[in-house]
Structures are given as C-alpha cells and as structure tokens.
Amino acid sequence: MVQRLRVRYAKRGRLRFTSHRDISRALERAVRRADVPVAFSAGFSPHPKISYVGGAAPTGVASEAEYLEISLTRECDPERLRVALDASLPPGLDVLDVVVAGPASLADQMECSAWELRLPGADLALAGVAVEKFVATDHVEVERLTKKGMRRFDAREAVLSLAAFEGKGTTAGQASSRPCVILRMVVRHATPAVRPDDVLTGLRLVADFAPPVPPEVTRLAQGPLDVRTGEPADPFGLDRDITRGGEAEPVGRHVGGDI
C-alpha cells in the first residue's frame, strides 16, 4: 500500500433497495472498470483492500453519507479518481467526495447520524404531539429482531434531537411532490444501533402514532457530533486540514496512469 483514500458515496432512488453486499460487489467491479490501482490482501484468496466505515444504511433506506477507505499501490489524484469511479457506477450509486486519508481513524469519528423520514398522508398535529411525548420520556423500550434473536433496548437515549414539520418536494435521494409530514432526527451511534424505524416504534408506543404508509427514509449525514449545532460534522474535516497544512502529500499530486 502506497496511499489510502477515503470515499463518501450516496445511494439514491431505486438503488436504496440494494443490499450492502450487492453494493460492495458493484463498487469492486467499478474499481476494476475505472482501472483503480487497488491494493490486494495476501493469502490464498486475495481480495481488494476496501473497508466500509460506519454502519451501512439499511436496505430500503437512501443515504447521502456512506463511507469507505481504499488502499492503493500508487498515488492517485483524489478528484480524478472520484470522477472515474463515479462514471463506472450505475446511476443511483454516486461518488460524492474523495480525500487522502490522514492519521486519525475515520471509524472513531462516526459518532452520530442525521436522518430524514417522509411520512406521506400523516397528520402533522398528531406527529407533533407524538414527538413531544417521545422527547419528554426518559426511557422508551422497543423490540427488534436481530441476528441474535429478539432484542429489547432503549430507543430514547440515543436520540439527540427529533422534530416534526410539514413539507413537500424533494429531499436527498428521494423525489416527491406529495405533501407529507417530515421527521428529522439526530441519533447517536450506539450498540445496538438505534435506527429510524426503532424511533417510529417508540412514537407508536408513547403516543399511538403510526404513519399510514411506509416512510421514505434518507440518511442525510454521519460523522462527529458538533456540540454547537447538535448535528454531524464533516468526518473529512481533519483530512482536509492536514492536506492544506502541508503535513500530507498534496492532493493534486499524480503519479502515473490516468488517475
């Protein structure tokens, strides 16, 4: 390995129904098509050194903030690699940003996620009452079937903020002109992970509120918690600062190849 790059990508539209395993395969094929000089592991069955960082958005959920790290055998220009990799992926899997990896762990910066849930046909007044009751409650236990069986956990403690308002139009990864209730929440990453559907279960338990149709869910961001805004900050911030400060190789340096 000569260089490590960090990639932010989105899954949008119908691609939100693609499983994480299928997305991983699509990305590996795109790496080959784009002629990315990816490093491979040693051993009997070598595989490309691509690691996915942060909890993957569940199948059926759109996202503007999925992350991975890729190890390369030669240095590449991040922006050229972004363009080449994005062109090799199907529409709906979009590479948004690529930076040179700094020394700090990217996984350690994934502290929270911001989510948006569109609830077509829901009543705004009922949603507002349910949100108020949920926020005012100290402990909301929900159940979810996990790989280890049915598990019971608190869905309230991880929720840093939750709000309901009326909206229509488009959101990241979704396109709709129907009026609907929008829930926006910031959830701290925990074990077990508290997902948007767990929060909806909590709203049903505390206020008997349930959307009339399945919600349209989008992860808007994930990263370190900004205590000033209460929102996720840019997890690439330290990488950009190091590069600009001259402590890392310039992002424009290009050695060999088309990227």
Side-chain angles (χ1 to χ4, degrees):
M1 183 190 75
V2 172
Q3 184 186 48
R4 258 188 324 127
L5 296 181
R6 291 171 175 168
V7 178
R8 174 187 167 215
Y9 67 96
K11 61 170 183 169
R12 298 166 168 159
R14 292 187 298 176
L15 267 294
R16 68 186 185 274
F17 297 110
T18 306
S19 71
H20 181 63
R21 177 175 294 182
D22 288 336
I23 287 175
S24 300
R25 290 171 178 166
L27 283 163
E28 289 181 11
R29 288 195 294 268
V31 164
R32 292 195 295 269
R33 282 195 294 266
D35 198 25
V36 175
V38 62
F40 281 79
S41 63
F44 180 75
S45 179
H47 59 273
K49 289 189 174 182
I50 301 174
S51 58
Y52 296 86
V53 183
T59 302
V61 172
S63 178
E64 293 294 301
E66 302 298 290
Y67 292 88
L68 62 84
E69 290 186 331
I70 183 169
S71 299
L72 305 179
T73 57
R74 59 175 170 82
E75 294 184 5
C76 294
D77 176 77
E79 178 58 19
R80 289 176 183 241
L81 185 141
R82 186 199 68 77
V83 172
L85 191 58
D86 184 60
S88 300
L89 285 166
L93 278 181
D94 303 314
V95 180
L96 306 178
D97 199 3
V98 179
V99 298
V100 177
S105 168
L106 183 60
D108 290 345
Q109 298 184 65
M110 298 302 182
E111 297 177 345
C112 62
S113 288
W115 301 89
E116 181 169 283
L117 287 70
R118 298 175 59 85
L119 311 178
D123 184 276
L124 179 60
L126 295 178
V129 171
V131 165
E132 290 178 2
K133 289 184 177 181
F134 183 90
V135 172
T137 305
D138 294 330
H139 190 77
V140 181
E141 282 199 347
V142 302
E143 285 186 337
R144 179 175 12 110
L145 184 63
T146 69
K147 293 180 180 179
K148 297 182 179 180
M150 191 64 71
R151 188 160 185 180
R152 191 172 183 86
F153 56 93
D154 180 18
R156 171 64 186 91
E157 184 180 5
V159 179
L160 303 176
S161 65
L162 176 63
F165 55 93
E166 187 176 12
K168 61 181 180 178
T170 60
T171 59
Q174 308 284 355
S176 174
S177 59
R178 296 175 295 173
C180 64
V181 172
I182 293 178
L183 296 181
R184 282 191 182 162
M185 63 185 74
V186 176
V187 180
R188 188 186 301 275
H189 294 178
T191 304
V194 175
R195 306 187 312 201
D197 56 310
D198 298 321
V199 177
L200 283 179
T201 300
L203 294 176
R204 178 176 55 81
L205 292 175
V206 301
D208 198 28
F209 171 79
V213 298
E216 302 169 359
V217 184
T218 301
R219 170 149 56 191
L220 301 177
Q222 66 171 319
L225 177 64
D226 187 330
V227 295
R228 298 169 299 173
T229 64
E231 298 280 337
D234 179 11
F236 287 169
L238 291 176
D239 302 311
R240 300 186 210 279
D241 290 344
I242 290 173
T243 301
R244 290 168 185 158
E247 299 176 29
E249 291 294 335
V251 296
R253 181 172 177 180
H254 175 48
V255 181
D258 294 329
I259 57 175

